[in-house]
Structures are given as C-alpha cells and as structure tokens.
Amino acid sequence: MKNCTIYKTNKNYIVVTQSICDIGARIIDDPIYVIPVETNIEELREKVFDSLNNSRTDVYTPKRDEWSLFEKRDLEKMGQKSFITLYKNSNSCNLALENDILTIQPDQYCEPNKPKSGLCSVKEAAKQINLINTDKTEVMNILIEMLSVSYK
C-alpha cells in the first residue's frame, strides 16, 4: 500500500509522503512538498502522485533518542513549528493507494486526552476511487473539495 497525507493551511498544501517502517507503523518520509493553495491543479496532482509513488516499506525506525531530531527535520521541511499547531490550523486527508483503488480519508483534530492528542480519522467521510476509471484531475477535484471541509 502507498500512503501520503495532505494538509491544507490558509496559505499552502503540504504533501507528506508516508512509508511503512520496519516495525509496521506509518512514518513521514521524503519527499515533502509545500505548494501555495493558489497553485494549478496539475502541479498539485503531480506532487500528490509523486508522493504516493515514493511511499515505501521497511523504512528505518528511528530509535527513541532520535525521534526529536526526525520530527524537527520534518517540521522544518513543512515550514511548521509543531505538529499540534499544524493539526489545529489545517484540514487534512490521508490517501492510501492499493490495487488501483485510492482511498481518501479526512482527519479531524482530537483534543488532548480525548482520546489522545493529534489527528483522528473521519471514517464515515472517506471516499474510494477506482483510478482505472477516473481521471487524476477529477481525483484532485475530489481531494480539494474534501480539504475544504472542516471536521473540527
């Protein structure tokens, strides 16, 4: 399965490649793209599908004392100060591609300790798209529409 997450802030789309690390969890990977929300749909499409194509398996899992360095590096690439600020100030969707079926699932910010800090999936709003039968520009229109909805 190939994965990426798209965040939409007031100014940018942040396209973050997600790979599966050697312990089976998803982890941020390269490339990370930051593009203005005014960008044309073709550039957004190119970055999203490039991110999906670069999603990998068996990526190195940082050791406990390495996590803060990895997080700092990833936040710098995204132009963000913290993940919590990013989560609070953006709308986001996870994309998962498997066997030509793309699942787009929006996230919502979960308040601390309810059940946890971070993002929670909005499973009832997920959409599945068969890429064999659907133009990739139409997929981007669906994604943009989903990123325009706030599930906060």
Side-chain angles (χ1 to χ4, degrees), residues 7 14 71-72 74-76 78-90 109:
Y7 300 94
I14 304 170
E71 285 183 347
K72 182 179 179 184
D74 293 337
L75 286 166
E76 286 175 359
M78 290 185 262
Q80 300 296 309
K81 297 203 183 299
S82 75
F83 283 103
I84 295 299
T85 301
L86 174 63
Y87 300 159
K88 286 182 178 180
N89 296 322
S90 68
Y109 177 68

Side-chain angles (χ1 to χ4, degrees), residues 9-133:
T9 67
N10 288 334
K11 296 180 181 180
N12 298 308
Y13 290 109
I14 304 170
V15 182
V16 180
T17 304
Q18 299 276 332
S19 289
I20 305 299
C21 63
D22 50 17
I23 62 168
R26 284 190 333 180
I27 189 169
I28 294 174
D29 200 0
D30 287 322
I32 294 172
Y33 298 109
V34 179
I35 53 177
V37 292
E38 302 85 23
T39 196
N40 63 53
I41 199 164
E42 291 81 16
E43 183 177 354
L44 179 61
R45 180 186 67 217
E46 177 186 313
K47 302 304 186 201
V48 167
F49 282 95
D50 186 60
S51 180
L52 285 168
N53 286 333
N54 280 286
S55 178
R56 307 176 288 153
T57 56
D58 292 325
V59 173
Y60 171 75
T61 304
K63 296 187 180 3
R64 183 181 304 253
D65 61 342
E66 297 173 324
W67 273 108
S68 63
L69 293 174
F70 276 74
E71 285 183 347
K72 182 179 179 184
R73 179 202 66 192
D74 293 337
L75 286 166
E76 286 175 359
K77 289 179 184 179
M78 290 185 262
Q80 300 296 309
K81 297 203 183 299
S82 75
F83 283 103
I84 295 299
T85 301
L86 174 63
Y87 300 159
K88 286 182 178 180
N89 296 322
S90 68
N91 293 337
S92 63
C93 289
N94 285 297
L95 280 68
L97 177 60
E98 186 169 33
N99 300 324
D100 293 316
I101 302 296
L102 180 69
T103 302
I104 304 174
Q105 186 166 282
D107 294 315
Q108 68 181 16
Y109 177 68
C110 298
E111 291 293 330
N113 303 316
K114 295 181 185 177
K116 60 180 182 170
S117 299
L119 295 175
C120 299
S121 297
V122 183
K123 293 180 181 172
E124 63 273 11
K127 294 190 180 195
Q128 288 193 324
I129 302 164
N130 185 329
L131 293 183
I132 293 173
N133 303 327

